[in-house]
Amino acid sequence: MSGDSAASAPGRSGARQGRPVGRSAGARFRRLFEGGLLQGGVQGSPVLRLFLRWVRRPLLPVMRLWRRNIQLRVVATTLLMSLGVVLLLGFVVIGQVRNGLLDAKVKASQSQATGGFAVAKQKADEAASGTATGTNAATTSGDGTSTADGRQAQNVIPWMSDLVDSLSSGGAGAFDVVTLPVGDDSGGGRSPRGSGYVNPTSSVPADLRERVNSGTTAAQSYTRIVYSNGKESQPALVIGKQVSDPNGRPYELYYLFPLTQEEKSLSLVKGTLATAGLFVVVLLGAIAWLVVRQVVTPVRMAAGIAERLSAGRLQERMKVTGEDDIARLGEAFNKMAQNLQVKIQQLEDLSRMQRRFVSDVSHELRTPLTTVRMAADVIHEAREDFDPVTARSAELLADQLDRFESLLADLLEISRFDAGAAALEAEPIDLREVVRRVVSGAEPLAERKGTHIRVLGDQQPVVAEADARRVERVLRNLVVNAVEHGEGRDVVVKLASAGGAVAVAVRDYGVGLKPGEATRVFSRFWRADPARARTTGGTGLGLSIALEDARLHGGWLQAWGEPGGGSQFRLTLPRTADEPLRGSPIPLEPKDSRRNRGLDEAGLPGGGGEKRATVPVQQGGAQAPALPPRAPIAPRLAGVTPAADPTALPGNGNGARVVPRPGGGVRRPDDGPAAGSAASADAAPPQDSTQPGEAFRGR
Amino acid sequence: MAADRKGGARHRPGRAVAYAAVGVVLLAGCASMPDSGDLRNVESTPRQDTGVRVFAMPPAEGAGPAEIMQGFLEALTSDDPSYDTARKYLSDDAARTWRPERSTTVLANGPSIETDCRAGAGQEPTDSVTCVLAGTRVATVDAQQAYQPADGSYRKKVHLTRSAKTGQWRIDGLPDGVVMGKSDFQRNYTSVDKYYFASDTTAGATGQPVAVADPVFVRSKVDAMTQMVRSLLNGPTSWLGPVVRSGFPTGTALQKDVSGLAPDDQNKLTVPLNLKASQVAPGKCTEMATQVLFTLRNLTPTLESVELEGADGRRLCDLSEERAESAAWHGSAKSPDYLYFLDDKHRLVRMPTGSTGTGALPVPGVFGESDKGLESVAVSRDEHSAAGVGDAGKSLYVTSLASGGSLGNALVTSAGPTQSDRLTTPSWDARGDLWVADRDPHHARLYVVEQGTAKAQEVAIPELSGQIKDARVAADGVRIALVVENKDGKQSLLIGRIQRDGGTGQGTSVVELRSAAPDLEQVSAMSWAGDSRLLAVGREQGGVLQMRYVQVDGSTLDGPAPGALTGVKSIAASEDERVPLVAYSEDDGIVRLPSGAQWQKVDKDGTAPVYPG
């Protein structure tokens, strides 16, 4: 089990869950863009892709705005939808108006044209029968000579022109008259004629001519009148019929009714609709904007306040005006914030009180203890005089009093840490000396255990700014632990210095740590095997104090272990105080671990398994189920443990990462729960960046 | 606090109501039709031309001779600028040699093709057919585009052959010029006055050259403006030619390939000429521009200025309408100040032209003072002197219109037996000469009194065949309208050209009389009513006495005739068309016809109305 993986697990697991969510939104857009726009037809064309990227770049802020601004989305959607409705409505209304206008025009035009055809026929009949003279001045110029000529096909030319003239004179501007020959008929009066600059051949559609030629009924169609004097062409209704001239030869007579007025009316309607539609769209957009603003502004405010609340500024409140839903939301929000603040305050007070209580209790216990101690010493010195049973009790009394004293001292020490009263007296020291002192101090115990303590890396001085007393305490704790759990095997103390950090690692080859224990070893009163009797009389607070000492230095204290493979504890300190640590000179997992040596059958998959296994263990550590093993003690120190236990979790794995954060190590225990939980989500990206440097190194 | 809030609450709805009310009032203003507003000019939109256009079609494949003839005649009535389509009906040789611009023959009812044209009348097909075009001639327009009334029948032979090569019938022999019916002619052609200067006449008072109108016919739908400029540059028609001069040097023409002249947005027309700047003196150039402007304003009344451009594209001169009026004397531009007539005491009285009332004041001077027994009068164009015929038509007096003048001696006396055989109403020309005719049956004569003061000279009229019944000189002094009665009692309205002696000693004469209204049999009154237009009261054969405008070249005008009036004895019109017509009717005395209205009475007892001239 890799302790390091346990350390990095919370952050990474959080990141892994958070990341896909964040990425999926962006990825969907990118897929949409690249799939739809880019890769649709330009696969493998870097130039085009570059171009599209260049095109897309200015759009990105817009897209971001679109994603982030609900107001923009709502207003844009409203505008689009209202535009659609207005367009639809416009089409329908314009279509209706157009049909109405056309119906009226067509009816009027048809009656006009029918009358015109009748006149043309009548005139032809009159001219043909020779009675035209005098009765109709427009037909001929009134000379008697037309009678004879009319029958002879000679005077069709002027007759035709006069006919068109007289037919068109009734409707200057309202309609124009055109005659065309039937087919390719040629001869007198067969040339196309048109009034009012109308170009006859191009103004009358060919299919209408065919229809007119094929029958004797009138036919109508729509066309564009083309003018020969440069006037703009205009749409028109054309009605045509085949009529006979005085000689009985047919020709085509067309009435062209320009739809200018209708067009004008229609464009008036169009303009009106467009204006009205524009106003409606703008109005709807404005309404949407206003409404959304009414809702979004408080929501944004709430979001801002919530962000500030989550950042720890619990006194922030929303401004509430009015009595509407938004105001209710604000009130509820404020109430929630108020309750949170009160609860947190209460918890803080409680925590402070408990710490105080622990500290006071420790203090208060010392005085009677001293008396008891003195009495016990007297009894102990006089034990030879007692009967064996009583003497044995006196010895027990003295031993337990020793234990009690050291437990009390540790409690005092840790309550000092908890109260933030611990002060660092840093000065440059050579860690080799400290190590030597510690090793020589542990020598008797080691000899008793048959353990040999080796020191590596002490060829060169390993100097760091540190509190020698505290570092010694930490190292003593580690070495004594290693000797105790080393099962008589060698204990290796390794020193190293690199970058801005120095490190001391204590390696033993004892029973090691079970998966998940690497995080728990730093918990207060935690015991690897509760059933196992303590031989050295440890208080269960040693590693907790060591961890606090390391934190005080701005350093890390981390554990690694594998079942049966021993364990290694590594203390990493910055070379100069206040300098953040970026890495450690010694890998957390030693080179001679079973995994590295390939002795573990689980092998690499096992590493993956371990890593995965850390997560539930981690969670378990954070909650009650981890506690039962130390149930006998827990009730006694209930006030301390719950508060201290969670701190150990980030402190263990993330200790290195937590310490450099603002606030230093002083308030760490207090901040622990809130900052730690926030950090697991917030600090994900920075953790990722350090992964290659440190967190993964152990694996 | 509560009171404050209540007050504020009461205030706010009040203001809102006020705003709403103002808004409603404003909107209501927009929602009803305006009954007042600002003044604005109305842009006159040109009346839409509904004229019929014939679009000529090329001959159909395999058409027979009759169809070829019909198609050709129809193509002649089209708006084809140079009759390109009509030429397709001709054989190649004929198409080359045919000159359509030579003349235009107008037939009463269009040319008819005589029946022997029908091809294949015999059994075997021939390759050569002669057709005869026939009709009743109405007029001809010669190569100079001058209209001439004509009568008699028209017969021309047209020869068609079948081309050996293509097997198509084509016309290979035909007379030059085009032929068409009267209605087609009226549709396709329009009469336009072109202007020259009288060669030996200047306006009496100012010495300006006098513009003379020379009416010609152009095809109205075929770039009329360019046609008119070309026609103007080509010089006056031969009838008018001897007495007028042109400002353009001989050989002046439009630059090559110029067509489609049209005024620009500022109503300014640029005419590119082939003249060099060195050839043109500034005064000459102004004259040329004046001619162009006067001519084209006939066609486009909105034209405001003209610019002449030299061969090198440089501007020769330009002329605006206002300057043109001062550069040349122009009859139709001079609006008379007063209308003159004789009141019931036979005094000469006058009233302002624009007056709508009936009050007239006696003129200063002798004529206005007492009863001199005046029968008819004429007031000079400058309105300084007046001529009167008195003594029951026996004597002509001229006097000044300034107070204190004397009547003097009669300048002309007549020895006619009755009043209707004595002196006619006199008339003045722009030069200041006074013209009067003596209707003495034994010795009808035409007199001219130069400057109104000299001794009266008799004017020779070599071609006169009959009695002069009336004479009116045109404002330009080069044309005179005469009413001449034949031996058989038929009267005709003739226009003669005044040929001044010019120092040759032959005396002034009126030559080349031509009929202005061939269909009138009797002309009881007449007056010039425009540069080339007369208002005549006359009777057509078998018709009633009616008033109508006639063109000096004998063509008929499209415009409406003035409203009917009975018993018209004399009429007065001015060259300026804006001045109302005035007539003397036996029934109603002096009546007036303002434009767009009906005849109005002016003076029940007045007689002999005249405008200056």
Side-chain angles (χ1 to χ4, degrees):
Chain A
M1 172 67 213
S2 151
D4 200 24
S5 63
S8 59
R12 280 181 50 220
S13 68
R16 201 176 293 149
Q17 275 164 359
R19 187 54 66 81
V21 177
R23 197 178 284 157
S24 68
R28 216 180 305 139
F29 274 101
R30 198 172 308 139
R31 220 174 299 133
L32 205 146
F33 259 78
E34 289 176 349
L37 290 178
L38 289 176
Q39 285 165 0
V42 298
Q43 270 174 348
S45 165
V47 178
L48 252 178
R49 202 172 305 161
L50 263 179
F51 171 75
L52 280 169
R53 198 172 297 162
W54 176 76
V55 165
R56 211 179 43 171
R57 188 171 302 163
L59 285 177
L60 288 177
V62 179
M63 279 164 55
R64 196 177 309 137
L65 193 67
W66 174 263
R67 279 202 306 273
R68 302 183 58 156
N69 197 329
I70 189 171
Q71 194 166 5
L72 177 74
R73 276 207 303 275
V74 171
V75 170
T77 317
T78 311
L79 281 180
L80 270 180
M81 284 171 64
S82 54
L83 197 68
V85 170
V86 162
L87 281 181
L88 197 69
L89 183 79
F91 279 123
V92 170
V93 169
I94 287 174
Q96 299 261 5
V97 170
R98 177 175 162 275
N99 290 345
L101 286 173
L102 270 186
D103 280 351
K105 179 74 176 182
V106 165
K107 277 193 190 116
S109 304
Q110 279 174 349
S111 68
Q112 178 97 44
T114 314
F117 298 142
V119 169
K121 186 172 182 304
Q122 187 189 348
K123 284 193 176 178
D125 292 346
E126 282 169 1
S129 65
T131 56
T133 319
T135 59
N136 198 331
T139 310
T140 67
S141 50
D143 284 346
T145 52
S146 70
T147 312
D149 298 342
R151 245 179 246 135
Q152 291 176 346
Q154 283 89 349
N155 282 340
V156 173
I157 298 167
W159 181 87
M160 208 69 158
S161 296
D162 287 336
L163 175 75
V164 174
D165 208 12
S166 71
L167 288 182
S168 66
S169 64
F175 60 83
D176 288 311
V177 179
V178 159
T179 63
L180 288 168
V182 171
D184 55 355
D185 193 5
S186 68
R190 288 292 96 87
S191 290
R193 283 168 168 75
S195 69
Y197 293 104
V198 173
N199 187 338
T201 43
S202 47
S203 293
V204 179
D207 48 355
L208 178 67
R209 291 192 63 181
E210 260 174 45
R211 172 76 67 85
V212 166
N213 283 339
S214 63
T216 52
T217 52
Q220 74 173 47
S221 173
Y222 294 103
T223 182
R224 274 199 98 78
I225 301 185
V226 180
Y227 291 97
S228 58
N229 64 342
K231 208 166 109 180
E232 207 180 325
S233 70
Q234 49 187 357
L237 172 70
V238 52
I239 303 178
K241 195 182 182 213
Q242 190 171 314
V243 192
S244 294
D245 69 2
N247 297 327
R249 288 170 61 178
Y251 65 95
E252 300 166 15
L253 179 62
Y254 294 96
Y255 270 70
L256 287 87
F257 298 88
L259 298 173
T260 324
Q261 282 306 319
E262 285 69 23
E263 183 111 316
K264 272 184 191 158
S265 307
L266 202 61
S267 67
L268 176 75
V269 173
K270 255 189 268 180
T272 312
L273 275 178
T275 316
L278 186 73
F279 275 112
V280 166
V281 168
V282 168
L283 178 75
L284 286 178
I287 288 175
W289 183 76
L290 263 178
V291 169
V292 176
R293 208 180 79 117
Q294 297 261 340
V295 175
V296 159
T297 310
V299 168
R300 274 188 194 156
M301 198 170 74
I305 301 285
E307 270 167 20
R308 268 177 280 178
L309 275 179
S310 68
R313 295 163 65 180
L314 294 174
Q315 70 278 10
E316 291 286 345
R317 292 290 179 276
M318 272 177 79
K319 228 186 307 173
V320 176
T321 51
E323 303 169 9
D324 53 10
D325 301 320
I326 298 298
R328 276 174 52 206
L329 171 70
E331 274 167 13
F333 187 88
N334 284 349
K335 223 172 275 173
M336 183 185 76
Q338 177 73 33
N339 286 344
L340 267 180
Q341 192 181 12
V342 168
K343 286 284 182 241
I344 288 173
Q345 191 68 47
Q346 281 175 355
L347 282 177
E348 274 180 2
D349 289 348
L350 190 65
S351 159
R352 204 175 300 126
M353 212 175 68
Q354 286 173 338
R355 285 198 301 268
R356 184 78 178 271
F357 178 75
V358 169
S359 165
D360 288 351
V361 164
S362 313
H363 267 290
E364 292 301 321
L365 283 177
R366 273 176 88 151
T367 320
L369 182 64
T370 316
T371 318
V372 171
R373 172 92 217 178
M374 284 193 302
D377 281 351
V378 172
I379 293 172
H380 189 260
E381 273 165 21
R383 67 183 181 278
E384 280 111 27
D385 305 335
F386 300 156
D387 59 282
V389 176
T390 315
R392 175 75 191 136
S393 299
E395 273 180 8
L396 265 178
L397 179 67
D399 280 356
Q400 289 306 312
L401 270 175
D402 282 346
R403 226 172 101 72
F404 194 12
E405 258 181 348
S406 59
L407 182 63
L408 211 54
D410 280 357
L411 269 178
L412 268 173
E413 183 68 26
I414 207 149
S415 69
R416 213 173 285 137
F417 277 116
D418 287 349
L424 187 71
E425 288 160 16
E427 55 185 359
I429 52 165
D430 189 348
L431 285 184
R432 289 185 301 173
E433 283 174 22
V434 180
V435 169
R436 240 172 260 142
R437 267 203 307 272
V438 169
V439 169
S440 62
E443 209 60 60
L445 180 65
E447 275 172 23
R448 223 182 305 140
K449 290 270 179 183
T451 299
H452 177 59
I453 300 175
R454 282 188 290 146
V455 177
L456 298 180
D458 59 345
Q459 289 82 16
Q460 281 159 0
V462 181
V463 180
E465 256 183 39
D467 190 332
R469 186 178 60 88
R470 290 178 190 279
V471 173
E472 192 180 332
R473 183 165 67 188
V474 172
L475 289 180
R476 189 186 305 126
N477 206 320
L478 295 181
V479 169
V480 168
N481 270 350
V483 170
E484 266 185 20
H485 295 99
E487 312 212 326
R489 298 196 185 94
D490 279 1
V491 168
V492 178
V493 178
K494 193 174 172 189
L495 288 98
S497 149
V502 297
V504 181
V506 180
R507 173 83 165 103
D508 69 72
Y509 298 93
V511 289
L513 294 172
K514 288 203 252 325
E517 284 180 346
T519 57
R520 266 182 274 166
V521 288
F522 299 102
S523 304
R524 295 174 188 185
F525 302 111
W526 183 82
R527 211 151 284 180
D529 181 6
R532 206 178 69 179
R534 289 190 171 271
T535 53
T536 51
T539 59
L541 288 171
L543 278 176
S544 300
I545 291 169
L547 181 67
E548 295 295 341
D549 275 331
R551 273 188 193 160
L552 196 60
H553 282 91
W556 304 336
L557 179 61
Q558 287 148 305
W560 168 90
E562 51 191 2
S567 61
Q568 168 160 296
F569 284 77
R570 182 185 69 180
L571 173 68
T572 314
L573 296 176
R575 193 177 289 228
T576 53
D578 304 335
E579 196 182 330
L581 277 178
R582 275 186 296 276
S584 179
I586 301 172
L588 183 59
E589 183 175 346
K591 285 197 186 77
D592 57 354
S593 73
R594 292 163 70 114
R595 205 169 62 137
N596 282 352
R597 280 178 295 155
L599 291 180
D600 193 345
E601 273 74 28
L604 281 174
E610 282 165 22
K611 195 169 65 183
R612 246 177 277 121
T614 59
V615 178
V617 168
Q618 192 67 36
Q619 287 165 346
Q623 287 159 0
L627 294 179
R630 51 165 205 264
I633 301 168
R636 276 198 301 174
L637 294 169
V640 182
T641 11
D645 204 7
T647 63
L649 284 177
N652 166 26
N654 284 349
R657 291 139 185 110
V658 174
V659 170
R661 265 196 239 116
V666 182
R667 274 180 57 88
R668 181 57 46 204
D670 288 356
D671 287 349
S677 60
S680 64
D682 273 1
Q687 244 175 353
D688 278 2
S689 69
T690 60
Q691 270 176 358
E694 164 56 29
F696 285 161
R697 203 184 291 170
R699 272 191 266 146
Chain B
M1 190 80 162
D4 276 357
R5 197 177 295 164
K6 219 180 255 175
R10 209 183 300 137
H11 243 106
R12 213 173 296 157
R15 205 176 297 164
V17 166
Y19 285 144
V22 169
V24 165
V25 167
L26 284 177
L27 284 177
C30 290
S32 64
M33 288 296 159
D35 49 9
S36 62
D38 51 347
L39 300 172
R40 223 174 270 174
N41 288 333
V42 176
E43 301 292 328
S44 66
T45 47
R47 211 183 108 74
Q48 207 186 0
D49 175 24
T50 60
V52 177
R53 284 155 179 273
V54 177
F55 293 79
M57 292 205 307
E61 195 77 10
E67 271 131 31
I68 291 289
M69 281 307 296
Q70 289 280 4
F72 175 68
L73 291 177
E74 190 160 31
L76 292 184
T77 65
S78 75
D79 294 332
D80 215 344
S82 48
Y83 298 104
D84 287 336
T85 316
R87 279 181 209 274
K88 291 184 181 157
Y89 288 89
L90 308 183
S91 66
D92 292 347
D93 286 344
R96 250 194 318 278
T97 54
W98 182 54
R99 292 278 168 271
E101 67 280 1
R102 261 314 152 68
S103 71
T104 305
T105 307
V106 185
L107 303 183
N109 204 18
S112 54
I113 303 162
E114 299 222 329
T115 42
D116 60 351
C117 180
R118 303 263 178 233
Q123 282 296 356
E124 60 202 79
T126 60
D127 285 343
S128 166
V129 162
T130 302
C131 291
V132 175
L133 289 177
T136 314
R137 225 195 284 258
V138 173
T140 54
V141 175
D142 62 15
Q144 292 174 321
Q145 292 162 305
Y147 183 92
Q148 224 154 12
D151 50 11
S153 66
Y154 174 89
R155 277 183 78 84
K156 291 280 182 187
K157 280 184 184 168
V158 175
H159 189 258
L160 293 93
T161 52
R162 194 206 293 268
S163 161
K165 220 182 335 177
T166 61
Q168 303 293 326
W169 285 98
R170 289 291 181 267
I171 301 168
D172 66 348
L174 79 167
D176 276 340
V178 298
V179 56
M180 64 177 69
K182 194 174 168 187
S183 60
D184 284 329
F185 179 75
Q186 281 172 344
R187 249 194 306 275
N188 290 344
Y189 285 75
T190 182
S191 171
V192 184
D193 291 344
K194 51 181 184 174
Y195 285 84
Y196 295 94
F197 297 113
S199 44
D200 48 9
T201 305
T202 54
T206 57
Q208 294 164 312
V210 174
V212 182
D214 187 9
V216 291
F217 272 83
V218 291
R219 298 171 75 193
S220 54
K221 292 163 192 162
V222 187
D223 198 5
M225 205 165 253
T226 315
Q227 281 188 73
M228 272 319 296
V229 174
R230 282 191 209 282
S231 172
L232 178 70
L233 299 179
N234 285 343
T237 57
S238 52
W239 183 82
L240 197 64
V243 292
V244 294
R245 64 182 173 82
S246 174
F248 293 96
T250 319
T252 309
L254 281 176
Q255 283 173 18
K256 267 184 193 163
D257 301 330
V258 170
S259 66
L261 289 179
D264 60 12
D265 295 342
Q266 278 87 42
N267 282 322
K268 178 178 183 176
L269 179 75
T270 304
V271 182
L273 299 175
N274 64 349
L275 294 177
K276 291 197 185 71
S278 56
Q279 287 176 277
V280 184
K284 272 287 175 203
C285 188
T286 307
E287 282 193 349
M288 293 191 270
T290 308
Q291 280 181 274
V292 174
L293 186 65
F294 282 173
T295 303
L296 296 185
R297 272 181 68 81
N298 260 315
L299 211 57
T300 316
T302 54
L303 187 69
E304 273 167 13
S305 64
V306 155
E307 178 179 311
L308 299 187
E309 204 176 77
D312 48 1
R314 296 233 310 264
R315 197 179 65 150
L316 296 174
C317 60
D318 62 352
L319 186 77
S320 66
E321 187 196 348
E322 295 84 31
R323 279 180 50 223
E325 299 300 349
S326 62
W329 197 94
H330 184 207
S332 60
K334 294 281 175 285
S335 191
D337 295 336
Y338 293 102
L339 164 71
Y340 297 83
F341 60 90
L342 297 173
D343 66 2
D344 50 351
K345 302 191 193 75
H346 289 266
R347 286 183 309 183
L348 181 60
V349 297
R350 68 183 184 186
M351 60 191 298
T353 322
S355 145
T356 53
T358 55
L361 292 173
V363 298
V366 187
F367 282 167
E369 280 168 6
S370 58
D371 190 354
K372 296 291 180 204
L374 292 176
E375 294 295 325
S376 58
V377 286
V379 179
S380 71
R381 301 260 171 194
D382 54 11
E383 302 190 36
H384 289 329
S385 29
V389 175
D391 301 338
K394 277 184 193 157
S395 320
L396 173 73
Y397 303 97
V398 173
T399 182
S400 164
L401 280 181
S403 53
S406 64
L407 201 53
N409 295 324
L411 291 171
V412 179
T413 54
S414 167
T418 64
Q419 191 175 333
S420 61
D421 292 333
R422 292 173 190 154
L423 295 178
T424 63
T425 303
S427 59
W428 299 81
D429 63 19
R431 190 164 127 138
D433 294 352
L434 180 64
W435 296 74
V436 69
D438 184 0
R439 291 176 284 194
D440 188 349
H442 305 295
H443 192 193
R445 284 159 298 182
L446 181 65
Y447 293 103
V448 60
V449 182
E450 289 193 1
Q451 300 305 314
T453 53
K455 189 176 173 298
Q457 293 172 322
E458 192 181 331
V459 177
I461 311 175
E463 301 159 33
L464 186 66
S465 59
Q467 289 277 1
I468 296 179
K469 283 296 170 192
D470 203 354
R472 290 291 164 89
V473 70
D476 49 45
V478 301
R479 291 170 301 173
I480 188 166
L482 302 173
V483 177
V484 175
E485 189 175 290
N486 282 346
K487 297 274 188 305
D488 51 3
K490 276 191 181 171
Q491 293 180 338
S492 54
L493 181 59
L494 303 176
I495 306 293
R497 192 176 74 222
I498 298 169
Q499 199 85 40
R500 313 258 173 190
D501 66 356
T504 57
Q506 291 169 351
T508 306
S509 57
V510 172
V511 296
E512 289 200 56
L513 294 178
R514 61 181 197 186
S515 176
D519 45 350
L520 288 184
E521 282 199 332
Q522 190 204 335
V523 179
S524 59
M526 63 159 179
S527 170
W528 286 89
D531 285 333
S532 59
R533 194 168 68 150
L534 288 156
L535 181 62
V537 180
R539 178 183 290 142
E540 286 177 16
Q541 187 186 18
V544 295
L545 201 64
Q546 61 179 3
M547 200 181 297
R548 68 171 230 215
Y549 289 106
V550 294
Q551 198 75 358
V552 292
D553 56 6
S555 58
T556 48
L557 287 156
D558 300 337
L565 185 68
T566 55
V568 180
K569 283 287 149 192
S570 70
I571 49 174
S574 167
E575 277 87 349
D576 185 353
E577 290 170 21
R578 289 162 295 185
V579 174
L581 290 181
V582 179
Y584 166 61
S585 152
E586 279 178 329
D587 306 332
D588 299 310
I590 292 180
V591 290
R592 176 171 58 194
L593 181 67
S595 66
Q598 293 299 314
W599 289 100
Q600 299 167 349
K601 265 186 203 173
V602 176
D603 192 335
K604 182 83 178 80
D605 303 315
T607 52
V610 286
Y611 282 113

